[in-house]
Amino acid sequence: MSLQGSILLVGEGNFSFSASLSQQHNEAASGSVIATCLQSEEEALRQEGAAENIQIITDSGGAVLFGVDCTRLGECASLQGCLFDRVVFNFPHCGRKSGVKKNRDLLKTFFLSCVQVLAEGGEVHVSLCNGQGGTPADQPKREWHNSWQVTAMAAEAQLILTEVRPFESEKNQSYKCTGYRSQDKGFHVEKALVHVFTRSLPYTSALALTVEETVGGQKVEYNLPAELSDYMFRGFLSANSVHPVRLVQDFLHAGLTEEWSVRMGLESVPSLLTAQQLHTCSHGVDAARWYWIQPAEEGLGADTADSSSDKVERVRSREGEDAAPRGESALYVLRPSLLPQMEELFTKKEEYGNSAGSNEENGEDDGTVGGRTHVGRTGVCNCAPSLLGLSGVVFRNVPVGLWALPAFHQLVLKGVFPSGSKPVSLLGQRLESLLAPYGVSLVKEQGGLSLTAKPMGVVGNLFAGNDTDQPAITVCLNLDLLAALLFALPDWRLLWSRDPRFLQQFALRPSPGQPFRPLSLYPEPFIFDISFWTGSAYKEKEFHAAVREASCGTVERVKLIDRFSHPELSQTSYCYRLAYRSHTHALAHSRALQFHKQLELLLSSRLQVTIR
């Protein structure tokens, strides 16, 4: 237990814990201790040893306050203007057989009260008997509905559980648990747990971003779909980044350069592609998952990433044609893959740096020039096998799911090997040797190989090229899924967290395999159903986009549980089940319900559905 800074203890009985802590704090010569209790001074002094403990506290430079209600700390005159680095509440209880609901309410009102006197970066320590908290740390774990639901109650005050540790009463030898309101019957402190809470970052709503890029020599201004606003301009692959996706890219680069020359492109490539660019090279990307975009001046708003099936079919019908599409020169797509831009770079005589730089959507690179080589349609000029690399964020219009990423960092490698070699097999074996310790396996498929892992599925593909005279290979890797796998992240959404505590864990550039310490321990899911009537124009992908936007990305699963078409009204009823959970923010039931109500309003206004 850290003894730095000031400490506020609430709900004290005989002040034995406060006295022991004051002595330790005094020896460390840091901060001050203020101990409080609900009883009056006269009632408190009736407890055995209370007078002696109070004397120890005051002699150690601390203070004792009586008649302090821990659920109304902001109203306590003696605490006005005070902020504490730690607020401690040992074994809260409403008394007698009050039941779990009343004790949950006590916890909730305490948490809402204590944040009013909690310093920035401060901690809240709550000690509970084994089983009361309702987390997996309790052994045995109670059923959630029969516990005090401590994480959910803390979330009401925007607090997240960051640590759970045993309550070590032996370290406070003078401590005596007195029980509810200092009754003679104390609590069972064996296997008791200390729950440590810290503040969560506030939620930020999706923004309507207007982006300007140069595509095909022309400046294009467009409105980004609101649900994607948090995935742009983050710079995770920049030169000095310690973000996990950069660490994974560096890890792969180092492993591959032991066998071949790997040179990363230093050019900036736009996030927007023309339909012509994409349909000439869209290996493995379903056109139904493209984000269609039209320039802002052509009248489409932020929520009009047009994904209509007629446009998809028009592009599909042109696949394989040499002529440029006619009548669709104004249509653009948010890049679902870096393959088209890699193909363009591969056919040009461009300079490439030696280091594992990047091609972030905002043009950041690592500034390293290194060795140089020229490439052309037939590959690299020198005879030794060489790979060219390109990395950046790509976008997929996918349904909401546990491992369905609407945006992720992709690494694309392309190279030409000497005649007679089998580059797909060679690179596949090398990547498998690098990633097998983390559960990645190589699977043969038509036209190439796949890298797969549980529970996320496919994390990469390798396939042979047919546009050169020599054996060629293209590799596409999902750096986000690999980062979640190699650093044991419980949720891919953590990679996009703005909480500085996330990146602090990677400041020393840890090697893959080192365990990640979750920002929020044991976040509970909240399940809500939504049902509505809609007409024939309904598109399910627009529903999923609205879910992401309205929920601030807190919905982790969506399941269609019922569908009914009315035979006379030409209307169809859909019922979906949504699971809300956040590994990055505090998510209380009340906040999840608020998001759900926002979703109902958004669906009614944007999709013109009738909520049932």
Side-chain angles (χ1 to χ4, degrees):
M1 179 180 289
S2 172
L3 296 177
Q4 300 300 314
S6 55
I7 301 176
L8 173 67
L9 297 104
V10 301
E12 284 292 277
N14 60 11
F15 295 95
S16 58
F17 185 88
S18 300
S20 176
L21 188 61
S22 295
Q23 289 177 316
Q24 298 175 51
H25 217 59
N26 188 44
E27 292 172 2
S30 58
S32 60
V33 172
I34 296 181
T36 70
C37 69
L38 181 62
Q39 296 91 338
S40 65
E41 182 175 3
E42 181 181 356
E43 290 177 299
L45 290 174
R46 293 174 188 167
Q47 302 304 312
E48 180 182 354
E52 292 82 357
N53 291 328
I54 291 173
Q55 189 64 47
I56 292 173
I57 295 170
T58 55
D59 289 347
S60 300
V64 177
L65 301 177
F66 304 96
V68 176
D69 187 345
C70 70
T71 66
R72 297 182 175 182
L73 294 174
E75 301 175 13
C76 179
S78 301
L79 297 178
Q80 293 297 312
C82 297
L83 293 176
F84 298 90
D85 296 308
R86 196 189 321 163
V87 180
V88 180
F89 195 177
N90 288 325
F91 306 105
H93 201 281
C94 288
R96 306 188 185 279
K97 295 183 178 181
S98 52
V100 294
K101 187 177 185 304
K102 287 186 177 180
N103 285 302
R104 286 179 202 154
D105 290 340
L106 171 62
L107 284 177
K108 181 172 73 172
T109 52
F110 159 69
F111 285 126
L112 290 169
S113 170
C114 77
V115 292
Q116 300 177 50
V117 296
L118 186 66
E120 192 68 29
E123 298 178 345
V124 181
H125 292 205
V126 177
S127 300
L128 297 175
C129 298
N130 183 39
Q132 289 177 339
T135 72
D138 292 300
Q139 296 298 327
K141 179 180 180 291
R142 288 188 192 177
E143 293 183 355
W144 179 247
H145 70 272
N146 194 34
S147 73
W148 292 14
Q149 301 178 2
V150 65
T151 55
M153 298 304 103
E156 296 287 351
Q158 294 299 298
L159 295 171
I160 54 177
L161 180 65
T162 55
E163 184 183 357
V164 181
R165 58 172 179 256
F167 179 80
E168 299 173 319
S169 56
E170 64 276 6
K171 286 190 175 181
N172 302 282
Q173 296 182 0
S174 61
Y175 173 65
K176 178 184 177 183
C177 184
T178 59
Y180 166 70
R181 290 201 176 184
S182 302
Q183 294 176 356
D184 291 335
K185 184 179 180 181
F187 297 114
H188 297 288
V189 298
E190 297 82 8
K191 296 185 179 180
L193 298 172
V194 180
H195 302 76
V196 181
F197 297 90
T198 57
R199 293 184 190 272
S200 164
L201 290 185
Y203 286 96
T204 55
S205 300
L207 301 175
L209 294 181
T210 300
V211 182
E212 184 180 279
E213 293 186 304
T214 300
V215 184
Q218 294 184 341
K219 285 189 176 181
V220 180
E221 185 178 282
Y222 62 96
N223 296 313
L224 189 74
E227 72 270 18
L228 300 179
S229 61
D230 202 37
Y231 302 120
M232 292 288 278
F233 312 120
R234 299 296 297 272
F236 293 162
L237 293 175
S238 58
N240 299 318
S241 172
V242 294
H243 194 277
V245 295
R246 173 69 195 220
L247 299 184
V248 169
Q249 177 173 290
D250 291 346
F251 167 74
L252 294 171
H253 180 268
L256 292 175
T257 51
E258 293 179 3
E259 302 288 341
W260 306 282
S261 170
V262 182
R263 304 171 186 269
M264 297 297 297
L266 300 181
E267 284 194 8
S268 173
V269 292
S271 299
L272 215 57
L273 296 172
T274 64
Q276 179 184 4
Q277 283 178 297
L278 192 57
H279 82 253
T280 57
C281 182
S282 56
H283 180 88
V285 182
D286 186 353
R289 295 185 174 183
W290 298 351
Y291 272 103
W292 287 94
I293 299 291
Q294 283 194 341
E297 62 269 19
E298 294 196 13
L300 290 182
D303 58 345
T304 55
D306 193 339
S307 57
S308 57
S309 59
D310 59 332
K311 289 182 179 177
V312 173
E313 291 303 323
R314 290 205 300 273
V315 172
R316 281 177 174 168
S317 67
R318 291 189 176 90
E319 291 183 357
E321 295 181 9
D322 294 330
R326 295 181 181 179
E328 291 194 14
S329 59
L331 287 178
Y332 298 91
V333 180
L334 283 175
R335 62 188 188 204
S337 171
L338 291 173
L339 278 174
Q341 289 153 325
M342 168 57 85
E343 290 296 329
E344 291 178 2
L345 290 175
F346 199 73
T347 58
K348 296 177 182 178
K349 292 183 178 181
E350 296 290 343
E351 294 179 344
Y352 288 83
N354 271 330
S355 65
S358 70
N359 284 87
E360 276 285 24
E361 63 280 354
N362 56 355
E364 292 178 304
D365 59 59
D366 65 359
T368 304
V369 178
R372 298 178 178 179
T373 185
H374 292 285
V375 296
R377 189 67 177 172
T378 58
V380 186
C381 293
N382 57 6
C383 297
S386 179
L387 294 168
L388 305 178
L390 191 63
S391 59
V393 178
V394 297
F395 306 90
R396 304 279 175 89
N397 199 343
V398 294
V400 176
L402 281 173
W403 297 102
L405 285 60
F408 62 90
H409 296 80
Q410 185 182 57
L411 172 62
V412 176
L413 301 167
K414 184 175 176 66
V416 175
F417 281 58
S419 299
S421 61
K422 298 180 179 180
V424 174
S425 177
L426 290 172
L427 257 76
Q429 292 174 7
R430 181 55 181 159
L431 287 170
E432 186 179 33
S433 68
L434 291 171
L435 299 173
Y438 311 101
V440 177
S441 58
L442 204 59
V443 178
K444 289 185 178 180
E445 61 177 17
Q446 186 176 1
L449 300 172
S450 289
L451 293 164
T452 64
K454 294 181 179 180
M456 54 274 296
V458 177
V459 297
N461 299 97
L462 301 87
F463 51 92
N466 54 10
D467 55 349
T468 63
D469 298 330
Q470 296 173 285
I473 184 174
T474 301
V475 181
C476 297
L477 299 172
N478 188 320
L479 293 177
D480 289 48
L481 291 181
L482 287 172
L485 187 67
L486 271 59
F487 290 104
L489 303 184
D491 192 308
W492 64 268
R493 293 173 294 178
L494 279 161
L495 294 167
W496 300 92
S497 172
R498 295 183 181 273
D499 194 320
R501 290 171 291 188
F502 176 74
L503 281 186
Q504 285 172 4
Q505 297 195 43
F506 302 94
L508 299 179
R509 304 181 68 86
S511 301
Q514 295 194 24
F516 168 75
R517 181 180 176 184
L519 297 182
S520 176
L521 291 171
Y522 317 127
E524 280 294 318
F526 297 101
I527 310 298
F528 293 94
D529 291 349
I530 189 168
S531 57
F532 50 84
W533 288 102
T534 184
S536 58
Y538 172 73
K539 296 181 178 63
E540 191 172 52
K541 63 174 57 180
E542 294 178 356
F543 168 75
H544 285 274
V547 168
R548 287 193 171 99
E549 180 180 343
S551 70
C552 293
T554 58
V555 173
E556 65 178 10
R557 292 192 312 274
V558 173
K559 182 180 180 181
L560 177 64
I561 60 175
D562 187 45
R563 176 180 175 179
F564 169 73
S565 295
H566 198 286
E568 299 177 0
L569 300 179
S570 299
Q571 293 276 303
T572 301
S573 171
Y574 293 87
C575 182
Y576 293 91
R577 180 156 294 163
L578 281 63
Y580 292 78
R581 174 161 36 192
S582 176
H583 289 267
T584 59
H585 292 75
L587 183 63
H589 181 274
S590 59
R591 177 54 66 91
L593 181 59
Q594 179 185 347
F595 287 149
H596 203 66
K597 295 297 183 183
Q598 290 176 189
L599 175 60
E600 291 179 348
L601 294 174
L602 188 60
L603 292 176
S604 298
S605 61
R606 182 177 297 176
L607 274 63
Q608 284 79 51
V609 305
T610 302
I611 303 296
R612 296 180 58 187

